[in-house]
Amino acid sequence: MGKLNIPVYLDYSATTPVDERVAKAMMECLTLQGNFGNPASRSHVFGWKAEDAVTEARANVANLIGANPKEIIWTSGATESDNLAIKGAAHFNARKGKHIITLKTEHKAVLDTCRQLESEGFEVTYLDPEDNGLVDITKLADAIREDTTLVSIMHVNNEIGVIQDIGAIGALTRSKKILLHVDAAQSPGKVAIDVDAMNIDLLSLCAHKVYGPKGIGALYVRRKPRVRIEAQIHGGGHERGMRSGTLATHQIVGMGESFRIAHEEMEAENARIEKLRDRLYDGLKDMEEVYVNGDLEQRIPGNLNISFNFVEGESLMMSLKDIAVSSGSACTSDSLEPSYVLRALGRNDELAHSSLRFTLGRFTTEEEVDFTIKEVRKAVEKLRDLSPLWDMFKDGVDLDTVQWAAH
Amino acid sequence: MAYSDKVIDHYENPRNVGKLDADSENVGTGMVGAPACGDVMRLQIQVDDNGVIEDAKFKTYGCGSAIASSSLVTEMVKGKTLDEAAAIKNMEIVEELALPPVKIHCSVLAEDAIAAAIEDIKAKREKKAESAA
Ligand SMILES: Cc1ncc(COP(=O)(O)O)c(C=O)c1O
């Protein structure tokens, strides 16, 4: 440990670098000397070898979530998995009912899929989370109707890192005989998943948030009791007809290896990352007017989403040019709206515009955290000196009483 | 998003940051935008008896382009008469800072800030003229 890599990467929830061990395994599946065959080729050793590699990867992915390898369907990523799960289940069960329940803080891959279904005549309830980002189970129970066929709730939120109580949600949906889909793109290696204990029917995964490659993911589809979905991509009948297309051996091997490592190293890694995250928060929390977004306890170790009141997020990122983070602000003409996730928590727009998301990961060091604390404090101070809102706050003006010329 | 060198220069070395006495009869204050929209500009001009802007100060809450636009505007208005300042168009700011299309609203806000500051000082002066009459 003990290295400062500039620029400092603190955006692990956007994507992660591929672990060297994963890259090595992948590179062995490409060239003539390597394992390049088509796993669907049944007539020769090239195909068999590739199939063996895919089988091993499938077992590694299944193992991390407590599933049977037969329940894993390869896809191109969590976006495709979300589409396949939600559209596939909604369409298959359309005769039973056309009502779906989801959460306002879901990833766009879920929300936009639900929007699409609405345009096809489905009805969708978008639940509000509580102010800490978590679902109130009684509100979910109240939203369930006779014609509800599917509930889609994410496990770990990508912006604020809060962890939903999927076990409690699964107990409810199972008792009502409603399917539960869980977007777990952000979970592997950070929080345990057990599809049986949690009564999950469909679960979306991807590799690139877990030190695996981009462009590969998986959908868990329960076999007992059997969950049926309509395929969205048709062709050679791969993946038991649920997702056709030649399997990308190198990508799959990469995902398998990344999940194997995540499963093995999860405990030690989380302990280390949590310490760093707490160090980061401790280094910032004594500043005036800083607010953590989302529950601090029910949260993955690597996430700190924090608002620096009276400072706009995008300008803050501009000051932090040696640190890669993301912001809940979006100051562009196509979207003056700040993060819909923070707004759904009931955060006012000012605080949403003033937010930064730091996500720490496998290669984050103490030196990088200390550097970040120093830089952030300097930048916030500079921008507050520039901020008319800070002036007003310091003069005791209540900004909520000011008549703003909204534009 | 990549910023132009000029935006970065104004952002890193903002000109004329500060506050003038808003109650002074020679000072016009324009505050535009809203915190909920992610940008608020406060532009203040100090005007001499001949209607020439002799000083300008700003503070801005907003993205880098908003900060750069207001910083630039303080430079542009100094030495101008109120009428000349009122004639400044947002496209001049866009060109000078090489703002991309998604940031044009920052320049519009800066133009609005000039107009609001001018309106404020004119209103003050009319009021003074009325009470003198
Ligand atoms: C919660 C969540 N769902 C879905 C996705 C989309 O995943 P992918 O990039 O693999 O399509 C992401 C990542 O951006 C995510 O964080």
Side-chain angles (χ1 to χ4, degrees), chain A residues 45-111:
Chain A
V45 68
F46 296 91
W48 305 333
K49 246 181 85 184
E51 196 191 11
D52 285 348
V54 168
T55 300
E56 188 188 332
R58 211 186 283 279
N60 281 328
V61 171
N63 190 36
L64 185 136
I65 61 170
N68 184 313
K70 290 188 180 133
E71 297 172 307
I72 302 298
I73 305 294
W74 300 114
T75 66
S76 63
T79 299
E80 187 190 330
S81 298
D82 288 342
N83 273 265
L84 175 56
I86 296 170
K87 290 178 189 165
H91 285 151
F92 189 87
N93 294 297
R95 255 169 291 138
K96 264 196 258 168
K98 288 191 148 192
H99 180 236
I100 298 164
I101 301 171
T102 187
L103 192 61
K104 283 196 180 149
T105 49
E106 292 291 316
H107 191 269
K108 288 284 183 193
V110 168
L111 294 176

Side-chain angles (χ1 to χ4, degrees), chain B residues 57-121:
Chain B
K57 295 272 185 227
F58 87 97
K59 283 204 180 188
T60 290
Y61 161 87
C63 68
S65 302
I67 290 171
S69 295
S70 33
S71 167
L72 173 67
V73 151
T74 58
E75 284 190 321
M76 288 169 85
V77 298
K78 270 202 221 180
K80 286 199 164 69
T81 64
L82 290 180
D83 287 344
E84 285 165 352
I88 294 171
K89 287 280 162 274
N90 80 294
M91 285 315 289
E92 293 172 53
I93 300 166
V94 171
E95 276 161 31
E96 175 64 21
L97 295 177
L99 295 181
V102 295
K103 293 295 186 187
I104 286 176
H105 67 276
C106 299
S107 69
V108 173
L109 202 61
E111 185 187 317
D112 291 349
I114 303 175
I118 291 173
E119 197 179 313
D120 184 52
I121 185 87

Side-chain angles (χ1 to χ4, degrees), chain A residues 77-79 82 107 154 158 183 185-186 206 208-209:
Chain A
T79 299
D82 288 342
H107 191 269
M154 73 201 316
N158 45 303
D183 179 344
Q186 296 282 352
C206 67
H208 75 99
K209 317 276 189 191

Side-chain angles (χ1 to χ4, degrees), chain A residues 323-378:
Chain A
I323 303 168
V325 293
S326 72
S327 167
S329 183
C331 179
T332 59
S333 64
D334 25 317
S335 159
L336 279 173
E337 306 260 293
S339 155
Y340 67 89
V341 171
L342 298 185
R343 295 177 91 193
L345 305 191
R347 277 285 188 235
N348 65 29
D349 286 5
E350 289 93 300
L351 281 175
H353 276 296
S354 302
S355 71
L356 286 188
R357 177 187 76 176
F358 301 91
T359 45
L360 289 63
R362 185 168 291 168
F363 307 107
T364 307
T365 65
E366 209 169 275
E367 283 75 4
E368 291 173 348
V369 167
D370 291 348
F371 175 78
T372 301
I373 293 169
K374 207 174 76 218
E375 292 293 303
V376 170
R377 296 186 74 104
K378 205 165 67 189

